[in-house]
Amino acid sequence: MSNKGARNLFIFGSLFFFVIFLAITFDTLGKLDKRAPEITKEVDEGKHVWHKYDCIGCHTIFGNGSYFAPDLTKMAINRPRSYLKRFLMDPKSVNANAAMPKFGISADEADRLIAFLEWTSKVDTNGWPPKPILAVAAGVSGPELSAGQKIYRSQGCSGCHMINGIGGTTGPELTHVGSRRDRNWLHEHFEDPSKVVANSAMPSFKHLGDQALNDLTDYMLTLR
Amino acid sequence: MTIKYESQRIAQHFYTFAVLLFLVQVVVGIIAAVQFIKPDVFILNFNIIRSLHINALVVWLLVGFMGATYYVVSEESEAELWSLPMAHFQFWATVVTVTFVVLGYIWMGINPQANSPVMGINPLNEGREYIEAPRWADILIVVSVLLFLLNCVMTVLKTKKWTGIQGVLLGGLVFLALMYIPGMFYTKSMVKDQFWWWWVVHLWVEGAWEIIAGALLAFMLMKTIGAKREVLEKWMYIEVGLVLFTGILGTGHHYYWIGTPRYWLWIGGIFSSLEPIPLLLMVWDAFRTTREARNVANRAGLFYTVAHAIFNFVGAGLWGIIHTLPQVNKWTHGTQITTAHGHLAFYGAYVLLVISMIYVTLPAIRGVKEYNTSRAYQAFWWMTISMVFIVLTITGAGMVQTYMERMMGLDYEAVKTTYNLWFWILRAIFGVGFLIGVGIFVVDFFKLGKEPAAAMSAAPEKA
């Protein structure tokens, strides 16, 4: 290759990839608002509080930031609002071991910041952060099992199927089944698997009854 | 070795400021390392220390690039700079702006309420990682960069010698300036905030900066061993081309988990896995050229140049690819694994690059043919061995964190304060080792070529 050829390859190749990047960016920007709840005035004000105190100087959010303090993407799910508010205003008053200093965050600012964190906790992050494998297996992660989860366990579904790394590999993995299948498909499939998947080796679960299959379908749809 | 054009001396101003900021960066880095063990150990909290640590890094590398570029453009154009007074003005404007930004951070550290919005804008700190500098500083930085680019382009136009090296170098710098813009507006959505933020951060360090690195690598190989321009430039085009072919869509590896569509898992996974290829090509380029060399004009310069190529590949390439696939990244994202990659990548790709440029060009600026290189090697080994161990300890901490917090479900704080404590202690100790290396380098920077000839014994080169 001549020098000129190499130069042209560099210039036009780079432009080519940048144009593709722009096109995908355009598509992405059109989809972002649908993957997150509406941004209210309070959420926006909370984001301003987030920037004012340079929270990202210690914490991460969506996994990006400073790795010095816990990730806050889903923090609002796991902690009661009243606790978070008191903690933000004076961390050491509710947790003597807290590393976070008292910044002088006001009650108003704390409310808005929590509204902002409630918003981030509802953004569709493609399943991040993943639920810890061992904590899920031990049943200590998150709230009480839903009706669908109980059926999933009592029927031994994990003998064949895997969710978040736990379970068998005989049947298809279900970690993201909720984003692949809709309600009707799932329900029909539980009633008679071979009707929707030719040669399916899975038995019918029609005998569990409509209510149970609805619960199980609800659970499947949460796996996104 | 002497400079051919008087205005090339301006590079020294930029280098001096860069080197001093480097020292600041490493001193606050050690404070930050100690705060991992004891959070309230210093008058300023971790967030301020950390902002200083990463901002000092970005600014000193940029300032180093600017100094190097003025040198290269004058050399390649075979002309004095278009306007030396403007270059001086641009230098001092940058110094003043950066000083006020730093004072602002410190003030905010002492009184957080000082950052309360004025007309909707935070006056001291934007609260966004790497681009914390407030809006007024953004604008001044843009003005400074525009003056800088104008000066360089007008210099080239004086003689119209568009060599490949300076074409690519200036192209990379224009791309760098353009990619600062996506970080300069406010978005209500945190998802969009991070989306555009990555345009700045990723397209800088894995795009524009690597282009600058490719161009400077070619320049340094040409200057240290007299390698042929024709061959160097051809490979440079291929390297920087591959950097952008893989790196632009490689941005996708930051769009896995921030609320962006799932197709980025495919795009980011595939293209970012290819990102190490151009970096490996640069290593091969450096070795191939060096092997053919008969006349090494500047041993320390060549040594740093080759080391830069190697650690660019190891830090940015290898330490990046280990956690770039979405299946892995799902568990490691946002852990100390990222910190480890960040440290080795910035050190190998850009810290060593600017130091290489200093060792390649400073002897000529100071007008010395030979100089005592022993401190240059000492500084290299202190810094590099310390950095490798810093990175290994943080990688260890990241593996423990990934396993215990992410996979087992232990609490973040429990893992940090208990199970990773030894890693933090070791990291701080190696940090001091790094500071010793930097100290030796800073002394060498100020003394190079200024000592009486008798002191220039032929010190044995350590391998």
Side-chain angles (χ1 to χ4, degrees), chain B residues 22-32 435:
Chain B
F22 184 25
L23 195 60
V24 171
Q25 186 214 346
V26 176
V27 170
V28 294
I30 290 173
I31 298 173
L435 179 64

Side-chain angles (χ1 to χ4, degrees), chain B residues 206-416:
Chain B
E206 288 166 65
W209 290 30
E210 286 288 357
I211 296 176
I212 294 166
L216 292 180
L217 177 66
F219 179 81
M220 293 190 293
L221 288 173
M222 198 169 72
K223 288 294 150 188
T224 51
I225 48 181
K228 269 208 193 116
R229 179 189 288 276
E230 284 287 298
V231 186
L232 281 174
E233 286 192 343
K234 185 168 92 180
W235 283 107
M236 173 189 70
Y237 285 128
I238 294 171
E239 287 154 8
V240 296
L242 286 172
V243 162
L244 290 185
F245 300 171
T246 59
I248 291 174
L249 290 175
T251 316
H253 67 193
H254 300 295
Y255 294 159
Y256 295 160
W257 325 116
I258 65 167
T260 30
R262 188 172 280 272
Y263 54 66
W264 285 108
L265 269 63
W266 284 94
I267 301 168
I270 292 168
F271 282 91
S272 70
S273 297
L274 301 173
E275 278 188 57
I277 293 172
L279 309 186
L280 187 60
L281 208 55
M282 289 183 193
V283 178
W284 172 79
D285 196 8
F287 275 104
R288 176 184 52 81
T289 316
T290 310
R291 211 171 32 238
E292 292 163 0
R294 291 289 175 271
N295 299 315
V296 181
N298 181 340
R299 272 193 188 283
L302 176 65
F303 181 85
Y304 270 92
T305 305
V306 175
H308 148 72
I310 294 171
F311 280 96
N312 187 11
F313 171 66
V314 176
L318 292 186
W319 246 256
I321 202 172
I322 53 171
H323 58 137
T324 206
L325 287 178
Q327 297 88 326
V328 177
N329 194 260
K330 182 176 184 178
W331 301 99
T332 60
H333 178 56
T335 67
Q336 295 294 323
I337 299 277
T338 318
T339 323
H341 165 52
H343 276 82
L344 199 56
F346 268 116
Y347 177 70
Y350 303 118
V351 171
L352 286 177
L353 174 66
V354 173
I355 299 181
S356 302
M357 273 306 287
I358 289 176
Y359 276 114
V360 170
T361 61
L362 195 63
I365 293 172
R366 299 252 166 99
V368 288
K369 195 162 170 43
E370 284 186 6
Y371 58 98
N372 184 348
T373 51
S374 65
R375 270 193 304 258
Y377 296 117
Q378 274 180 40
F380 175 81
W381 289 114
W382 273 102
M383 288 193 292
T384 303
I385 292 174
S386 302
M387 181 50 77
V388 164
F389 277 100
I390 287 171
V391 168
L392 288 178
T393 52
I394 321 176
T395 305
M399 288 163 70
V400 168
Q401 185 189 1
T402 301
Y403 186 73
M404 298 188 97
E405 186 203 346
R406 292 293 167 72
M407 303 193 82
M408 289 176 67
L410 271 73
D411 181 68
Y412 173 93
E413 279 296 322
V415 177
K416 182 187 165 202

Side-chain angles (χ1 to χ4, degrees), chain B residues 389-460:
Chain B
F389 277 100
I390 287 171
V391 168
L392 288 178
T393 52
I394 321 176
T395 305
M399 288 163 70
V400 168
Q401 185 189 1
T402 301
Y403 186 73
M404 298 188 97
E405 186 203 346
R406 292 293 167 72
M407 303 193 82
M408 289 176 67
L410 271 73
D411 181 68
Y412 173 93
E413 279 296 322
V415 177
K416 182 187 165 202
T417 54
T418 314
Y419 304 103
N420 270 337
L421 181 62
W422 271 108
F423 284 122
W424 308 141
I425 294 172
L426 290 171
R427 189 255 299 264
I429 293 170
F430 293 122
V432 174
F434 193 83
L435 179 64
I436 293 171
V438 176
I440 298 170
F441 166 67
V442 173
V443 169
D444 198 37
F445 174 80
F446 286 108
K447 285 198 168 179
L448 194 151
K450 290 179 178 169
E451 290 160 307
M456 291 186 211
S457 61

Side-chain angles (χ1 to χ4, degrees), chain A residues 7-216:
Chain A
R7 190 191 67 193
N8 289 342
L9 181 72
F10 160 56
I11 294 173
F12 294 108
S14 303
L15 282 175
F16 172 75
F17 280 101
F18 203 81
V19 168
I20 294 181
F21 184 58
L22 281 177
I24 307 173
T25 293
F26 184 74
D27 181 78
T28 294
L29 289 175
K31 291 185 167 137
L32 292 184
D33 287 336
K34 289 172 209 136
R35 298 173 56 91
E38 195 195 341
I39 301 167
T40 62
K41 187 161 175 283
E42 203 186 14
V43 171
D44 182 40
E45 285 167 350
K47 184 167 180 278
H48 276 99
V49 177
W50 168 268
H51 290 308
K52 173 184 166 186
Y53 290 100
D54 188 28
C55 304
I56 210 157
C58 291
H59 293 276
T60 52
I61 193 154
F62 298 132
N64 297 313
S66 301
Y67 322 104
F68 183 75
D71 187 87
L72 298 183
T73 315
K74 306 277 178 186
M75 188 53 85
I77 294 177
N78 300 323
R79 305 282 191 286
R81 206 185 164 112
S82 56
Y83 170 87
L84 279 180
K85 186 169 179 178
R86 284 184 57 195
F87 185 90
L88 285 169
M89 292 170 69
D90 188 1
K92 288 189 171 66
S93 76
V94 285
N95 178 356
N97 295 322
M100 183 162 143
K102 188 176 173 177
F103 284 110
I105 298 175
S106 70
D108 260 5
E109 285 178 326
D111 280 333
R112 289 166 185 162
L113 197 49
I114 293 166
F116 168 68
L117 293 175
E118 280 169 350
W119 181 85
T120 62
S121 73
K122 292 187 192 110
V123 171
D124 179 355
T125 53
N126 293 332
W128 191 89
K131 291 200 179 67
I133 291 175
L134 292 184
V136 169
V140 296
S141 171
E144 187 78 3
L145 294 181
S146 68
Q149 278 171 315
K150 284 181 185 156
I151 296 166
Y152 187 85
R153 289 195 172 200
S154 65
Q155 296 298 318
C157 302
S158 67
C160 298
H161 296 280
M162 185 185 284
I163 295 175
N164 289 328
I166 299 275
T169 51
T170 324
E173 194 189 326
L174 301 179
T175 311
H176 303 300
V177 70
S179 55
R180 294 200 309 267
R181 306 294 187 196
D182 63 17
R183 177 172 295 280
N184 288 338
W185 190 95
L186 287 166
H187 198 99
E188 207 171 326
H189 177 260
F190 288 136
E191 284 186 340
D192 185 3
S194 54
K195 199 170 146 198
V196 281
V197 179
N199 292 324
S200 175
M202 180 165 140
S204 162
F205 285 88
K206 195 168 179 156
H207 60 274
L208 295 178
D210 241 15
Q211 179 61 44
L213 294 190
N214 278 337
D215 290 343
L216 197 53

Side-chain angles (χ1 to χ4, degrees), chain A residues 50-51 54-68, chain B residues 46-47 50-51 53-55 57-58 105 125-133 180 183 190 193-194 196-198 200-202 204 254 333-334 338-339 342 346:
Chain A
W50 168 268
H51 290 308
D54 188 28
C55 304
I56 210 157
C58 291
H59 293 276
T60 52
I61 193 154
F62 298 132
N64 297 313
S66 301
Y67 322 104
F68 183 75
Chain B
F46 181 85
N47 62 336
R50 210 257 185 183
S51 299
H53 183 60
I54 59 178
N55 280 254
L57 166 78
V58 172
Y105 290 167
N125 185 324
E126 233 172 66
R128 298 171 76 202
E129 192 192 4
Y130 286 110
I131 49 175
E132 284 95 343
Y180 194 61
M190 193 63 192
D193 187 311
Q194 293 209 346
W196 292 115
W197 179 79
W198 278 119
V200 185
V201 177
H202 176 91
W204 268 24
H254 300 295
H333 178 56
T338 318
T339 323
F346 268 116

